[in-house]
Amino acid sequence: MNIELDIHTHTTASGHAYSTLNEMALAASEKGLKILATTDHAPAMPGGAHIYHFHNLRVIPKIIHDVRILRGVEANIINFQGELDIPHEILSEMELVIASFHSPCIEPSNIVKTTDALLNLMENRYVSVIGHPEDRRYAFDIENVVIAAKESKTLLEINNSSLLPTTFRENSREGLIKILEVCGNYNLPVIMGSDAHHTSSVGRFDMAISLIQEIGFPINLVLNRHADDFLDYISWKRR
Ligand SMILES: [Zn+2]
Ligand SMILES: [Zn+2]
């Protein structure tokens, strides 16, 4: 599979990641990626970056080591109204916003509340991607969320790290298979993210790709294949 971008990566600014942005960009360049989104953890995550970190991302060059750097954030969903720990004006400055459930930031609840949180969240025009949606602790009504994702032009992530044996997320493989099945039925594009916390994982999609191939998910729905297609897709929601 031709891969041009990684949309989910962390640097030392996340508090529990171990490479600098320059190192991550070099790794992306060596992997032949055109785009690397830098999406550090937002303030509600223990050790996460301060709000000033995101506001000041403007000082970063657009291109480092021949790789286009997308200035982004992995924001935390902090309640079941689907609110995030980053104010709107900062979200508007980001080129890519991933929104995720993380257990230190929100206690898991039931499927109805989790679904509501995601439906509300997807109305936020700056949220382009729901990060690692397959974690069973935050299970939701897949059909309703996929329909809303399609209407709002929000993408669901296939998180490669969730599929590794080292993951702490629960039942990721089974969850992802169900989500991908419904995405396929509704012709909803998806995006793979490495969720790299070190250079060694930048552009790593081995587990995601083998799952996609195993279940016969349509390759044409995977937006990592062409950087321009991805940028086009996420620009619709922000218009
Ligand atoms: Zn995450
Ligand atoms: Zn992450």
Side-chain angles (χ1 to χ4, degrees):
M1 195 188 302
N2 179 55
I3 302 286
E4 293 191 348
L5 69 159
D6 189 347
I7 57 100
H8 187 165
T9 65
H10 296 272
T11 72
T12 47
S14 278
H16 59 269
Y18 308 97
S19 307
T20 64
L21 180 60
N22 277 358
E23 291 166 344
M24 297 297 274
L26 182 59
S29 175
E30 286 169 353
K31 286 247 172 169
L33 299 182
K34 290 186 176 170
I35 292 184
L36 177 77
T38 186
T39 53
D40 279 310
H41 284 296
M45 190 69 156
H50 190 273
I51 204 82
Y52 295 170
H53 165 89
F54 301 100
H55 183 55
N56 204 37
L57 282 174
R58 62 185 70 177
V59 304
I60 287 170
K62 272 194 180 321
I63 294 174
I64 304 177
H65 295 303
D66 289 329
V67 177
R68 168 82 166 89
I69 305 296
L70 283 188
R71 288 162 286 183
V73 59
E74 183 179 15
N76 297 294
I77 303 168
I78 50 169
N79 57 40
F80 290 95
Q81 287 78 53
E83 290 177 315
L84 301 175
D85 60 342
I86 299 275
H88 226 61
E89 58 273 24
I90 303 287
L91 291 179
S92 74
E93 296 170 3
M94 299 294 101
E95 293 173 289
L96 181 67
V97 176
I98 301 174
S100 307
F101 285 113
H102 293 119
S103 54
C105 308
I106 184 167
E107 280 282 315
S109 181
N110 60 44
I111 188 164
V112 175
K113 281 180 132 188
T114 309
T115 304
D116 275 353
L118 290 175
L119 295 182
N120 289 336
L121 171 72
M122 286 189 284
E123 286 175 17
N124 185 328
R125 65 196 289 238
Y126 298 116
V127 174
S128 296
V129 179
I130 308 295
H132 41 78
E134 77 299 324
D135 188 337
R136 203 178 65 165
R137 294 172 297 176
Y138 300 98
F140 52 84
D141 181 321
I142 298 175
E143 186 132 357
N144 278 344
V145 167
V146 165
I147 291 169
K150 176 133 189 173
E151 277 170 6
S152 64
K153 295 259 185 192
T154 312
L155 294 164
L156 303 179
E157 181 195 26
I158 309 176
N159 185 294
N160 197 73
S161 295
S162 293
L163 294 166
L164 294 170
T166 46
T167 189
F168 47 82
R169 294 179 197 123
E170 288 179 17
N171 297 78
S172 292
R173 196 183 138 79
E174 294 73 10
L176 255 181
I177 291 172
K178 282 186 202 155
I179 290 171
L180 286 172
E181 208 174 270
V182 181
C183 289
N185 293 344
Y186 283 90
N187 225 19
L188 177 71
V190 296
I191 188 76
M192 299 186 294
S194 69
D195 206 356
H197 285 63
H198 181 260
T199 49
S200 53
S201 299
V202 172
R204 180 174 176 191
F205 300 119
D206 54 339
M207 304 297 283
I209 290 172
S210 67
L211 182 66
I212 284 167
Q213 288 169 342
E214 189 186 316
I215 64 172
F217 184 77
I219 300 291
N220 64 316
L221 290 177
V222 181
L223 286 181
N224 301 73
R225 295 175 312 128
H226 300 292
D228 290 343
D229 289 353
F230 172 76
L231 293 176
D232 255 14
Y233 196 89
I234 63 167
S235 72
W236 277 100
K237 191 172 183 182
R238 286 172 160 251
R239 278 173 201 169

